[in-house]
Amino acid sequence: MSVTRLTPQREFDIVLIVNGAARRLTVDARTTLLDALRDRLHLAGTKKGCDLGHCGACTVLVQGRRINACLTLAVAHQGEPITTIEGLADGADGLHALQAAFIEHDGFQCGYCTPGQIVSAVGLIAEGRAGSDDEIREHMSGNLCRCGAYPNILAAIRQAAREAA
Amino acid sequence: MVPFAYAAAPSADAAIAHVARRRGAEFIAGGTDMLQLLQEGVRVPAELVDINRLPLDGIEVDTDAVRIGATARMSDVADHPRIRAEYPAVAEALLLSASPQVRNMASIGGNLLQRTRCVYFRDVVTPCNKRAPGSGCSALDGENRLHAILGASPHCIATYAGDLAVALVVLDANVVINGPEGARTLPVEALHRVPGDAPEVETVLEPGDLITAVLIPASAHARRSHYLKVRDRASFEFALVSAAVALDIDAAVIRQARVAVGGVGTKPWRLPAVEHALVGHRVDDELFHAAAARAADGAEPRRHNAFKVELLKRTVERALRTVGSRS
Ligand SMILES: Cc1cc2nc3c(=O)[nH]c(=O)nc-3n(C[C@H](O)[C@H](O)[C@H](O)COP(=O)(O)OP(=O)(O)OC[C@H]3O[C@@H](n4cnc5c(N)ncnc54)[C@H](O)[C@@H]3O)c2cc1C
Ligand code: FES
Ligand code: FES
């Protein structure tokens, strides 16, 4: 059997497409996507809560789908479009509809989970899973809020989902 | 994390040859279990071979079987209309697993091979025979509320935590494996091992064995299948107890029955005594109660998990009633 050989490396020069811009950087193989975004590209809006996939604070969109940036290696996402909280704002007043709805409904207390909640909710609405309160609750279960702002988070997402429909 | 080297696999053959040959080389797919274990220092691979760009993510449904590629994502499989209609236990088990974010990342092959949630396995400062063979089992007399009541040994009582494999067992699914010696298929039921005196060996896979697909035959009992998961939280939590049930019912008589349970065994646990009590009988709630009474046969509870014995019987009974009442 003749097969191409693999040559694993410890360091990589990569290009990440973040919020529409190509960003060139050198990463260790171990660098998570979350650390690349926060520590290397200085996009600190994406938060680190647990670093284990349990809290959702690090939620970003990769190719339009919500994922936990802490559970994946940066080197594995070369060339894939990545959207962080910093890349959402599109409205006339500079806010995404979900950001405006979170402010209107006071969908936070300390705000630490908020970027993850908002990016996750963008994914939720795109998946068509914001049809009822129960559906929103179930499909936002990957985003924890230690302040317990859940009722207001739910109200904000419900409103944004209606506006998007 | 200790340093490791990484490469994206250019082909399945190259990935297999590399991992088979190199000590400390491992595959990585969605990375959702691997990254947790790397972060906690539980796994220290020398090299990771990324299989995500291999063309293994297809979901092909035809009239007599479905073939799910190993790198298909949990969310895509759970949402597939024909899997939901013809293999409901698979879609239900996946939808009740993890979170939407994890399901968007995690692959089917990686899901089957996820490691136990035993807190001692995931905490490197405590003894654990699965992580550090010969160091002892901290769970035997420790915090064992979540541990196994079936299939344990004096060396390890950790549960197999996954949901999907439990559903696949009742649907007679096979895994397709491509290894250094070529391809083979294996029943999902034969993939995982009980701990015995070697709890560190969790499956029958050899170094370099790559799962390429899961094959599920179409059947009357697959269509009438169901996955019920009981947990401490309403969502985003592993099973305390789960039950997968598949029944072939003809004119109100049970022709074939498959029952397997999760959260209670050291591997996905099939319940032949319950199946035997069902086959040939007319569907009725008393039958389901009597059959489910056999669900915990042979159970060996520990100090904090004795509640699972009764919970197991009730979970199986409820799952049977749900399937029995479906037309
Ligand atoms: C917060 C959280 C909650 C979770 N909750 C649940 C739950 O409720 N129920 C549940 O069932 N699971 C749950 N999980 C586990 C999750 O389902 C698994 O982590 C995931 O399915 C693993 O898939 P992956 O592709 O990410 O695997 P990886 O992490 O990439 O790999 C896991 C293992 O499989 C090996 N591997 C991967 N693909 C292959 C292949 N094709 N052939 C051979 N070896 C391979 C890797 O070498 C590695 O050893 C949860 C995970 C997290 C992070
Ligand atoms: S930081 Fe990623 S899920 Fe908590
Ligand atoms: S607002 Fe404080 S964690 Fe959610």
Side-chain angles (χ1 to χ4, degrees):
Chain A
M1 189 166 57
S2 102
V3 292
T4 345
R5 277 194 170 254
L6 274 174
T7 41
Q9 292 165 235
R10 287 206 179 168
E11 217 178 68
F12 293 85
D13 293 318
I14 62 170
V15 175
L16 294 178
I17 316 286
V18 185
N19 302 326
R23 309 286 299 267
R24 203 168 284 282
L25 65 165
T26 303
V27 293
D28 187 283
R30 290 172 290 178
T31 310
T32 62
L33 180 59
L34 178 59
D35 286 345
L37 292 170
R38 286 180 57 84
D39 304 345
R40 307 298 306 288
L41 300 178
H42 307 296
L43 292 167
T46 306
K47 300 300 181 214
K48 183 187 282 190
C50 64
D51 229 8
L52 289 171
H54 299 187
C55 75
C58 64
T59 305
V60 299
L61 305 175
V62 174
Q63 299 182 327
R65 291 157 65 110
R66 48 184 169 153
I67 68 157
N68 300 115
C70 70
L71 282 187
T72 192
L73 301 174
V75 63
H77 296 285
Q78 303 185 58
E80 297 174 353
I82 298 163
T83 305
T84 69
I85 187 74
E86 290 90 347
L88 285 185
D90 53 2
D93 54 358
L95 292 179
H96 184 276
L98 270 159
Q99 292 172 314
F102 266 67
I103 293 171
E104 186 181 335
H105 291 275
D106 203 15
F108 34 69
Q109 184 173 331
C110 77
Y112 199 79
C113 70
T114 312
Q117 299 278 1
I118 290 176
V119 175
S120 188
V122 172
L124 170 92
I125 292 170
E127 290 160 19
R129 285 234 158 86
S132 68
D133 286 1
D134 279 350
E135 196 179 27
I136 295 171
R137 278 193 203 97
E138 170 61 30
H139 291 277
M140 287 297 292
S141 64
N143 292 83
L144 305 193
C145 173
R146 63 191 169 175
C147 300
Y150 296 110
N152 296 1
I153 293 170
L154 175 65
I157 296 173
R158 185 198 297 131
Q159 175 179 316
R162 283 211 193 109
E163 288 168 2
Chain B
M1 278 188 236
V2 300
F4 56 77
Y6 166 98
S11 69
D13 285 347
I16 292 163
H18 190 89
V19 173
R21 194 175 59 234
R22 304 271 292 205
R23 244 184 113 97
E26 306 266 8
F27 299 119
I28 183 167
T32 61
D33 197 39
M34 184 62 89
L35 263 286
Q36 293 181 78
L37 295 167
L38 293 172
Q39 295 279 25
E40 308 251 61
V42 176
R43 298 187 75 167
V44 288
E47 296 178 336
L48 290 179
V49 175
D50 185 338
I51 61 168
N52 286 294
R53 304 216 173 188
L54 299 178
L56 295 175
D57 63 346
I59 305 171
E60 295 154 36
V61 192
D62 66 35
T63 47
D64 49 51
V66 55
R67 182 188 177 93
I68 303 172
T71 61
R73 304 295 142 172
M74 290 169 72
S75 52
D76 294 327
V77 179
D79 288 345
H80 196 288
R82 288 194 59 187
I83 290 181
R84 288 169 53 175
E86 295 165 45
Y87 308 88
V90 170
E92 291 166 356
L94 288 169
L95 213 49
L96 294 170
S97 295
S99 64
Q101 289 96 320
V102 172
R103 294 196 294 270
N104 277 342
M105 309 171 79
S107 70
I108 295 301
N111 182 286
L112 297 179
L113 300 178
Q114 63 178 281
R115 310 296 300 272
T116 182
R117 306 307 299 189
C118 172
V119 289
Y120 303 107
F121 174 74
R122 286 177 187 254
D123 176 0
V124 291
V125 305
T126 58
C128 167
N129 286 326
K130 204 185 252 316
R131 172 171 39 72
S135 62
C137 173
S138 302
L140 284 175
D141 298 309
E143 180 43 67
N144 52 31
R145 179 172 175 270
L146 301 175
H147 287 73
I149 55 173
L150 292 163
S153 81
H155 304 283
C156 181
I157 59 171
T159 47
Y160 174 77
D163 293 297
L164 174 66
V166 179
L168 291 178
V169 162
V170 300
L171 302 185
D172 316 306
N174 284 287
V175 278
V176 184
I177 299 158
N178 201 349
E181 315 293 331
R184 64 189 195 276
T185 61
L186 183 78
V188 173
E189 205 179 341
L191 177 63
H192 298 93
R193 292 175 73 257
V194 292
D197 58 7
E200 72 281 11
V201 188
E202 295 187 335
T203 70
V204 300
L205 298 183
E206 299 288 339
D209 276 348
L210 178 73
I211 296 179
T212 55
V214 168
L215 286 176
I216 320 175
S219 67
H221 61 274
R223 276 190 167 272
R224 200 190 287 264
S225 65
H226 173 51
Y227 190 76
L228 173 64
K229 182 171 177 180
V230 178
R231 43 192 167 171
D232 279 333
R233 302 194 284 196
S235 184
F236 196 16
E237 185 55 277
F238 287 90
L240 288 172
V241 175
S242 68
V245 165
L247 299 180
D248 176 4
I249 302 173
D250 185 23
V253 175
I254 299 172
R255 303 286 171 201
Q256 290 224 50
R258 303 269 191 287
V259 181
V261 289
V264 287
T266 50
K267 56 174 271 183
W269 206 261
R270 183 109 179 242
L271 297 178
V274 176
E275 296 174 0
H276 188 74
L278 293 166
V279 173
H281 296 279
R282 290 186 74 79
V283 170
D284 122 322
D285 284 352
E286 261 161 49
L287 171 72
F288 291 150
H289 182 76
R294 308 289 311 272
D297 283 8
E300 290 181 290
R302 317 284 314 179
R303 177 141 184 239
H304 301 291
N305 66 7
F307 74 97
K308 285 189 176 179
V309 173
E310 186 59 28
L311 189 59
L312 173 57
K313 296 181 201 170
R314 294 187 190 188
T315 304
V316 169
E317 181 173 346
R318 201 169 108 201
L320 287 169
R321 284 178 186 237
T322 302
V323 173
S325 62
R326 275 190 195 162
S327 52

